[in-house]
Amino acid sequence: MKVVVIGGTGLIGSKVVAGLGAHGHEAVAASPNTGVNTLTGEGLAEVLQGASVVVDVSNSPSFEDEAVMEFFRTSTTNLLKAETEAGVAHHVALSVVGTDRLQGSGYFRAKQVQEDLIKASGNPYSIVHATQFFEFAKGLADGVTEGDTVHLPDAKIQPIVSDDVAVAVARTAVGDPVNGVVEVGGPDVFQLEEFIRMGLTALNDPRKIVTDPQATYWGAPLKDDTLLPGPDAHRAETRFADWLAQQR
C-alpha cells in the first residue's frame, strides 16, 4: 500500500519510511524538505494521491506556546481535510503517553488539540502514544538545568528507544484503524532522576542532579505515574542500559 509519512525525514519518520519500505510498501517521506508543507497546504493534494494511509510524526519547529499550538492546530486541520478529499482510509498520529495529564504544558495542550481534531474528524484513525525517547535524556536535562544542577520532579518514567517507536508506528499503519489510542513504552521503569543520571553519566556530563518538589516537566507538574503507560501498553524490548552501551 502507499503510505505517506508526514515528517518523514525526521528521527522517527525516516525510520518509519525505511521500515515500511523494507516490508514492500510504497512509503513516501513528506516534509518541507520534499515540497510538502502541512502549515500552508503546499504539496498535500499531490502527495496524497493514491495513498491508503497517512502517518503524521511531524513536530513543531518552535516549542513556544503560541507557535506550537498554531502548528498542531493548523497542520492537523489541513492534513485531515486533504485526506478526506483524497479518500485516505487510515490516519495514524504519533503522540505522547500522558498527554491528557500534562495540560500544564503549552506543548501538551497543543498535542491534545491535535488528538481532539483527529477524533472529531470522522476519519478512521489510530493514535500511538509513546513514552519519552532514550535519545532525549540530555535534552530533557537541559530544559531543567539551573547553573550546573538539573532539577527533576519526583516521578517514574518508562523510556523507549526511537527505533522501537518507529516499529510500533509502522505496525499500526499497516493494521486496521483502532479509532482510539494504543500505548507503547520501554521494558523498564525508572525514577526520572535515575534515567537522567544514566544518560548524562554515559556522556561524561558532570552536572549535579537533584529531585526537586517544585520542578516541572516541560512546565507541567507531575504525579508519580503521570508519564507511565497503562497496563495494556505494548512493552518494547530494547533496554536503556544496552542502548547506552552501544552508543560508546
Side-chain angles (χ1 to χ4, degrees):
M1 65 177 73
K2 179 179 177 180
V3 183
V4 175
V5 182
I6 306 296
T9 58
L11 173 65
I12 300 296
S14 58
K15 297 175 190 292
V16 172
V17 168
L20 289 170
H23 284 84
H25 300 286
E26 180 190 355
V28 180
S31 70
N33 292 342
T34 69
V36 179
N37 189 322
T38 53
L39 270 179
T40 64
E42 176 191 0
L44 269 182
E46 293 79 7
V47 78
L48 293 186
Q49 287 181 4
S52 300
V53 182
V54 167
V55 173
D56 185 6
V57 293
S58 62
N59 211 349
S60 174
S62 168
F63 283 14
E64 188 274 325
D65 283 3
E66 289 187 14
V68 74
M69 181 63 79
E70 171 66 15
F71 175 84
F72 282 116
R73 177 181 284 131
T74 301
S75 63
T76 303
T77 298
N78 288 341
L79 186 55
L80 291 167
K81 180 174 182 290
E83 287 174 28
T84 300
E85 293 170 352
V88 173
H90 190 186
H91 178 96
V92 179
L94 178 61
S95 193
V96 184
V97 164
T99 289
D100 61 336
R101 303 187 292 269
L102 292 162
Q103 294 299 291
S105 160
Y107 179 82
F108 291 105
R109 287 195 296 274
K111 290 296 288 183
Q112 188 64 57
V113 165
Q114 177 191 26
E115 293 188 23
D116 291 344
L117 286 167
I118 293 166
K119 293 173 183 176
S121 69
N123 298 15
Y125 73 92
S126 303
I127 297 172
V128 179
H129 271 189
T131 54
Q132 181 62 269
F133 302 171
F134 292 173
E135 290 90 341
F136 292 165
K138 181 181 181 298
L140 203 162
D142 291 347
V144 290
T145 295
E146 298 175 14
D148 63 353
T149 303
V150 181
H151 294 259
L152 294 169
D154 185 14
K156 292 184 172 69
I157 194 167
Q158 191 175 326
I160 184 171
V161 71
S162 63
D163 289 359
D164 290 343
V165 175
V167 168
V169 170
R171 182 176 59 239
T172 303
V174 300
D176 294 331
V178 301
N179 294 314
V181 173
V182 294
E183 290 189 317
V184 60
D188 301 310
V189 176
F190 302 95
Q191 287 299 128
L192 191 52
E193 178 268 342
E194 180 186 11
F195 168 57
I196 299 300
R197 187 180 303 281
M198 289 174 67
L200 294 187
T201 298
L203 296 170
N204 296 314
D205 189 318
R207 279 179 284 181
K208 180 182 178 183
I209 300 172
V210 299
T211 298
D212 181 347
Q214 302 303 314
T216 63
Y217 186 85
W218 304 117
L222 295 185
K223 295 181 179 178
D224 186 57
D225 61 352
T226 300
L227 303 178
L228 297 182
D232 295 330
H234 173 77
R235 284 198 174 212
E237 295 184 358
T238 308
R239 296 188 177 280
F240 188 41
D242 295 338
W243 179 79
L244 286 174
Q246 294 169 2
Q247 306 310 301
R248 296 187 180 123

